[in-house]
């Protein structure tokens, strides 16, 4: 199978001036990089083409236990940008004081220790070649991050869907990186939940409404990635009947469209389809992979122990504007099987996207057969 992410020669050129909000990790490990196409200064106007998205299910826990394996994965794929969801690290600021969602908390002994774990993890290869933007919640909940090779210079980084203020979206669910020719949107969509009276349905409806409004008014081609917490069709889940009939403690919502596994209710799937059609967006993975792949076609997997063993969903995406679809070279799930191989300790596996430099003839569809 063709390997689309080819390693590039490293560059040790010092990083340029960074856009506001960017953090950096200094080089303390690994061989001195050489060459022009790496973390340092790249060709003028160069923009990212290789992307990875991953719901880490607590980035701090991954750094404590599975980081070496994930670093090997990143080194092998050599992505230009890594978008992370469910960072689950609290924003800076003492109890009762205003928080800074762009910075890690470090005002207590435990938070300082945790911050040091993060800084050490990001100061060694391959992450020493990336800068990072955080959008963090007030507690160890939700949150997103964008890691980008230092050679790239975005025009602007925003943390809410209106893109006009410095305010971060609630719970750190949004990071938007603007380049000359496209927008990169990293989101962690709220889970639909099981019960109307717990307001989770309403929260998800409001989120989907905001996303619809956003995609209808974007002024550049869009690359939207992240944990979107929805499986669009039956092809996107391993066991459609299981997920359609799923209940929590026997509870059945009053509206049939809200019944079933969060992320696979008819209401969520219809709203997602409307967002794609109204925004003129293409699901990059499904554009290339038309058939169901029971081995490698899902990004989330249930606990290997219990009733969710072997139950899997595709809820992590790269969605691109129609104008970019002919540039899609590859879009792959990097985990497989029911034992969560390639998940690096999370319940989600990384998903990658590569675009060509120029529009080319659309590749042939792949099938699982």
């Amino acid at each position: 199978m063709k390997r689309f992410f080819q390693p590039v020669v490293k560059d040790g050129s010092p990083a340029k001036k960074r856009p506001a909000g960017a953090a950096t990790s200094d080089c303390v490990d690994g061989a001195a990089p050489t060459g022009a196409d790496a973390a340092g200064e790249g060709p003028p106007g160069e923009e990212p083409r290789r992307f990875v998205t991953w719901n880490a299910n607590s980035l701090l826990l991954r750094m404590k236990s599975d980081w070496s394996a994930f670093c090997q994965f990143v080194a092998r794929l050599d992505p230009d940008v890594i978008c992370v969801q469910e960072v689950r690290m609290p924003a800076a600021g003492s109890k009762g004081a205003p928080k800074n969602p762009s910075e890690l908390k470090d005002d207590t002994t435990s938070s300082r220790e945790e911050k040091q774990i993060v800084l050490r993890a990001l100061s060694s290869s391959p992450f020493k070649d990336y800068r990072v933007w955080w959008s963090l919640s007030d507690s160890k909940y939700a949150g997103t991050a964008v890691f980008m090779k230092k050679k790239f210079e975005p025009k602007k980084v925003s943390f809410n869907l209106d893109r006009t203020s410095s305010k971060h979206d609630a719970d750190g669910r949004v990071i938007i990186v603007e380049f000359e020719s496209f927008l990169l949107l990293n989101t962690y969509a709220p889970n639909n939940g099981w019960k109307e009276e717990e307001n989770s349905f309403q929260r998800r409806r409001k989120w989907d409404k905001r996303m619809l409004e956003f995609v209808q008014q974007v002024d550049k081609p869009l690359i939207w990635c992240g944990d979107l917490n929805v499986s669009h069709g039956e092809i996107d889940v391993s066991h459609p009947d299981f997920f359609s009939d799923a209940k929590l403690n026997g509870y059945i919502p009053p509206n049939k469209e809200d019944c079933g596994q969060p992320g696979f209710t008819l209401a969520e799937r219809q709203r997602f389809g409307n967002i794609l059609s109204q925004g003129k967006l293409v699901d990059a993975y499904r554009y290339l992979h038309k058939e169901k792949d029971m081995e490698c076609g899902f990004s989330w997997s249930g606990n290997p122990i219990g009733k969710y063993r072997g139950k899997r969903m595709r809820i992590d995406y790269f969605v691109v504007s129609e104008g970019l679809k002919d540039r899609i070279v590859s879009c792959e799930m990097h985990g497989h099987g029911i034992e969560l191989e390639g998940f690096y300790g999370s319940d989600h596996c990384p998903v990658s996207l590569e675009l060509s430099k120029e529009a080319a003839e659309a590749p042939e569809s792949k099938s699982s057969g």
Side-chain angles (χ1 to χ4, degrees):
M1 185 174 182
K2 182 178 178 182
R3 178 180 171 188
F4 294 110
F5 288 83
Q6 297 295 336
V8 297
V9 181
K10 302 293 182 181
D11 179 356
S13 305
K16 299 178 184 177
K17 184 178 179 181
R18 296 171 177 82
T24 183
S25 53
D26 296 327
C27 175
V28 297
D29 184 39
T34 59
D37 184 27
E41 187 173 344
E46 184 181 10
E47 295 182 338
R49 294 187 297 108
R50 297 188 297 269
F51 308 86
V52 164
T53 183
W54 184 42
N55 179 321
N57 192 18
S58 177
L59 191 60
L60 181 65
L61 290 181
R62 305 290 78 80
M63 289 175 170
K64 289 179 177 179
S65 59
D66 303 272
W67 197 240
S68 176
F70 183 67
C71 285
Q72 292 175 25
F73 166 79
V74 170
R76 184 172 69 253
L77 265 69
D78 196 33
D80 298 324
V81 181
I82 304 166
C83 295
V84 179
Q85 306 86 42
E86 269 202 281
V87 171
R88 289 193 186 178
M89 292 187 290
S94 57
K95 187 175 181 179
K99 302 298 190 290
N100 180 358
S102 293
E103 299 289 341
L104 299 171
K105 182 178 178 66
D106 64 355
D107 64 312
T108 64
T109 299
S110 60
S111 64
R112 282 191 292 271
E113 292 174 350
E114 291 174 348
K115 183 175 181 178
Q116 286 305 308
I117 292 172
V118 174
L119 294 180
R120 282 195 297 269
L122 300 183
S123 65
S124 53
S125 294
F127 281 89
K128 64 183 179 62
D129 293 336
Y130 295 78
R131 71 190 70 168
V132 59
W133 287 267
W134 304 104
S135 187
L136 305 173
S137 177
D138 291 352
S139 61
K140 289 185 176 181
Y141 173 72
T144 53
V146 169
F147 297 87
M148 182 183 303
K149 282 191 172 180
K150 295 174 184 177
K151 68 178 180 177
F152 297 107
E153 291 295 334
K155 295 185 65 176
K156 181 181 179 181
V157 179
S158 307
F159 303 93
N160 58 78
L161 292 176
D162 65 26
R163 297 168 55 201
T164 59
S165 70
S166 60
K167 185 178 179 180
H168 287 239
D169 198 81
D171 300 325
R173 293 184 180 274
V174 173
I175 301 180
I176 304 172
V177 186
E178 179 179 355
F179 297 94
E180 188 65 37
S181 68
F182 69 88
L183 294 177
L184 174 65
L185 170 63
N186 175 23
T187 66
Y188 175 41
N191 189 285
N192 190 62
W194 294 91
K195 295 185 177 182
E196 177 72 64
E197 56 266 32
E198 293 176 352
N199 295 321
S200 59
F201 290 178
Q202 181 180 354
R203 178 180 69 161
R204 182 55 189 257
R205 292 187 196 111
K206 182 178 179 181
W207 170 271
D208 288 342
K209 182 176 183 292
R210 292 173 60 211
M211 288 306 311
L212 177 61
E213 293 169 349
F214 176 83
V215 301
Q216 288 178 313
Q217 65 187 18
V218 289
D219 52 1
K220 289 184 178 182
L222 177 67
I223 300 173
W224 175 21
C225 71
D227 177 357
L228 308 191
N229 253 323
V230 61
S231 294
H232 191 200
E234 291 192 355
I235 191 176
D236 298 310
V237 296
S238 60
H239 299 76
D241 290 343
F242 173 88
F243 289 115
S244 294
D245 297 337
K247 302 179 183 67
L248 181 66
N249 299 325
Y251 173 80
I252 300 176
N255 297 318
K256 183 178 180 181
E257 293 79 9
D258 293 320
C259 294
Q261 177 76 28
F264 196 61
T265 65
L266 185 60
E268 293 172 275
R269 294 160 58 192
Q270 290 177 337
R271 292 196 300 265
F272 184 59
N274 190 44
I275 291 170
L276 295 182
S277 61
Q278 294 297 315
K280 296 180 172 58
L281 301 170
V282 174
D283 175 351
Y285 178 82
R286 192 55 67 206
Y287 178 68
L288 296 182
H289 304 266
K290 307 297 186 186
E291 304 296 329
K292 190 172 212 173
D293 183 347
M294 287 296 291
E295 181 66 14
C296 302
F298 309 104
S299 63
W300 174 89
S301 186
N303 193 315
I305 301 174
K307 71 176 183 178
Y308 276 87
R309 176 177 173 81
K311 309 302 190 296
R312 292 164 288 167
M313 308 174 75
R314 188 172 72 93
I315 57 177
D316 303 85
Y317 290 77
F318 277 99
V319 173
V320 305
S321 296
E322 286 184 352
L324 295 175
K325 69 180 182 181
D326 291 337
R327 291 182 56 194
I328 300 172
V329 174
S330 69
C331 187
E332 305 294 336
M333 309 284 159
H334 290 273
H336 61 92
I338 64 176
E339 302 297 338
L340 283 68
E341 294 181 52
F343 282 65
Y344 305 104
S346 177
D347 52 353
H348 297 247
C349 72
V351 182
S352 67
L353 171 73
E354 182 177 5
L355 301 179
S356 63
K357 287 186 178 180
E358 303 294 339
E361 184 179 347
E364 295 181 2
S365 302
K366 301 176 184 178
S367 69
S368 60

